Amino acid sequence: MVKVLIIKPSSLGDIIHAAGAVERIATAAPDIQLTWVANEPYVSFVRGLPGVDDVLSFPRQRFVAGRFPLFLPEAIAWARKLRGFDIAVDLQGLQRSGLMARLSGAEERFGPRDARELARLHYNQPIDIPAGLLHAVDRLDFVADAVIERSAVLARARGDDRAAPSRPDPDGRSADPFGGRLPFRLTIPHASRDEAAALLKGTERAVALCPGTRWASKRWPVSRWARLVRGMTTDLRGVRPVILGAADEQQLVREILSQADVAGVAPLNLVGKGDLWTTAAILERATCVVALDSAQLHLAATVGTPTVSLFGPTDPLRFAPRGDEHRVLRREELTCLGCHKRECPLERRACLPDLEVETVLEAVRDLVGE
């Protein structure tokens, strides 16, 4: 038995990007037992991902500087749970996650050599990811291949043999955005699909709208979301906007709906309804999804639903869904795109506020066939 520790606590979008790579590690041999370290809010979702045998909940909110040194006894007790693994794989690439790998005491500790905050100092198997691999999924797949190759060595020592994995195109120039591999698809539990069907009862053609984001720099103005809702209900026949998001985004959605002044089919507000698996099931049933660079966007891509994504401070070459069924919108004429700043340093943020409603509506119209 080869015991593998996966360290990818957050964010939810990053966890979704990593799910395919983790599944490949878990299924590379029949004797791999895989445990994933995830932040507390994501434990139930991660537990249902393919290949995951166990989840180690990381109480990040309790291990903060403001509680030091009160949290030390709890942190030491938690760190003991990291022990007993043969391989530790840091897919987060930060000092905190690198330290988790070291504390695991694993004989083989993997992580990208270009990890931030000098996290690479905690690895004894640093991985040089080719510069041509830009997309987060490709980078994670490359790390997974290195882990699979090494776990194969350990497995052969135990009498098990298997073929070496194929690597993604290191130059990133393949006409196939998935490097010859099928894109990762998430299998949703039947109970979650039943709950989604009940929530969407009577809605034949749903277009999911996901206006929430944790970054101020990623936000699209409330007035533009409201005009998009109004445009969809008046211009697109048989289409119903379904708004999704976390429970703490209810006020945002109320503001959008109060400004929308809908004359056609009333939007369906499902913000805060169901867990993450139910959200995935709703996205799966949608005709298409409009979202910012957020967890819902990446979740929609993994269930095979076409998307319209609005990008500004983050780089779509690194994070956007890939494939002909997806539309990526951004203000290409701006020179500050892809700054990756949570707060815009400019006097007036332009990358997303100036993205026109009609541009988004036209992309939706293209995908729903109107």
Side-chain angles (χ1 to χ4, degrees):
M1 180 70 68
V2 179
K3 294 185 177 181
V4 178
L5 179 69
I6 299 293
I7 305 168
K8 188 69 166 173
S10 65
S11 64
L12 180 57
D14 292 344
I15 288 172
I16 294 167
H17 276 149
V22 173
E23 180 187 26
R24 292 180 55 246
I25 293 172
T27 57
D31 66 343
I32 287 179
Q33 185 179 61
L34 189 143
T35 299
W36 190 320
V37 176
N39 285 353
E40 280 181 327
Y42 311 132
V43 167
S44 62
F45 177 75
V46 172
R47 197 179 301 279
L49 292 176
V52 177
D53 296 302
D54 196 11
V55 182
L56 179 55
S57 176
F58 178 52
R60 180 180 177 183
Q61 298 303 318
R62 294 203 292 276
F63 299 164
V64 293
R67 293 191 65 238
F68 183 84
L70 296 177
F71 68 73
L72 279 178
E74 183 181 4
I76 292 170
W78 183 85
R80 291 195 183 103
K81 299 177 183 178
L82 294 170
R83 310 293 293 184
F85 294 92
D86 303 299
I87 295 174
V89 187
D90 178 15
L91 297 179
Q92 195 79 31
L94 297 173
Q95 182 63 221
R96 177 176 57 249
S97 55
L99 182 60
M100 291 180 192
R102 182 179 290 273
L103 291 174
S104 73
E107 180 182 350
E108 311 281 348
R109 301 186 301 276
F110 292 84
R113 193 183 295 275
D114 61 358
R116 291 172 287 169
E117 302 174 358
L118 297 178
R120 66 180 182 276
L121 298 179
H122 298 294
Y123 316 142
N124 58 10
Q125 297 287 347
I127 300 168
D128 294 302
I129 302 176
L133 292 181
L134 298 179
H135 201 279
V137 171
D138 292 337
R139 290 173 57 85
L140 292 164
D141 276 346
F142 196 90
V143 173
D145 286 339
V147 175
I148 291 170
E149 288 175 353
R150 183 56 188 164
S151 61
V153 172
L154 296 178
R156 282 195 292 271
R158 293 166 167 82
D160 178 35
D161 194 13
R162 66 204 127 134
S166 60
R167 290 190 178 277
D169 173 19
D171 296 322
R173 294 193 293 263
S174 172
D176 178 1
F178 304 102
R181 292 173 175 153
L182 293 174
F184 174 74
R185 288 290 180 262
L186 198 60
T187 300
I188 301 173
H190 292 297
S192 299
R193 283 180 168 150
D194 290 343
E195 185 173 357
L199 290 169
L200 291 171
K201 186 176 181 180
T203 301
E204 296 299 326
R205 299 181 72 203
V207 172
L209 306 182
C210 307
T213 176
R214 302 303 181 196
W215 289 25
S217 59
K218 291 183 182 180
R219 292 172 188 156
W220 202 38
V222 167
S223 61
R224 304 226 167 198
W225 281 110
R227 285 166 54 196
L228 178 64
V229 170
R230 185 164 60 250
M232 287 174 55
T233 58
T234 57
D235 295 351
L236 303 180
R237 292 177 300 174
V239 166
R240 187 180 192 185
V242 175
I243 306 180
L244 301 175
D248 60 3
E249 292 167 353
Q250 275 287 9
Q251 181 57 38
L252 167 66
V253 174
R254 280 194 288 266
E255 292 176 10
I256 292 171
L257 294 178
S258 68
Q259 294 184 31
D261 190 24
V262 174
V265 179
L268 180 60
N269 181 3
L270 295 183
V271 171
K273 302 290 186 181
D275 60 12
L276 289 171
W277 284 104
T278 302
T279 297
I282 294 170
L283 292 169
E284 183 184 46
R285 292 174 64 94
T287 304
C288 76
V289 176
V290 182
L292 307 168
D293 179 14
S294 63
Q296 290 97 336
L297 172 67
H298 310 304
L299 199 54
T302 62
V303 297
T305 302
T307 66
V308 176
S309 54
L310 285 53
F311 272 78
T314 51
D315 186 354
L317 291 178
R318 295 174 59 193
F319 303 113
R322 295 176 292 181
D324 294 338
E325 71 274 27
H326 301 294
R327 306 289 184 269
V328 177
L329 305 180
R330 65 198 306 231
R331 294 281 311 283
E332 295 290 354
E333 73 277 12
L334 298 178
T335 59
C336 58
L337 294 176
C339 67
H340 214 73
K341 296 183 183 296
R342 291 173 178 264
E343 298 281 347
C344 180
L346 302 179
E347 184 176 344
R348 180 185 178 280
R349 185 168 63 99
C351 62
L352 279 166
D354 289 348
L355 186 61
E356 295 293 342
V357 174
E358 184 53 41
T359 302
V360 181
L361 189 59
E362 182 59 35
V364 173
R365 188 180 292 115
D366 180 40
L367 290 178
V368 301
E370 292 284 345

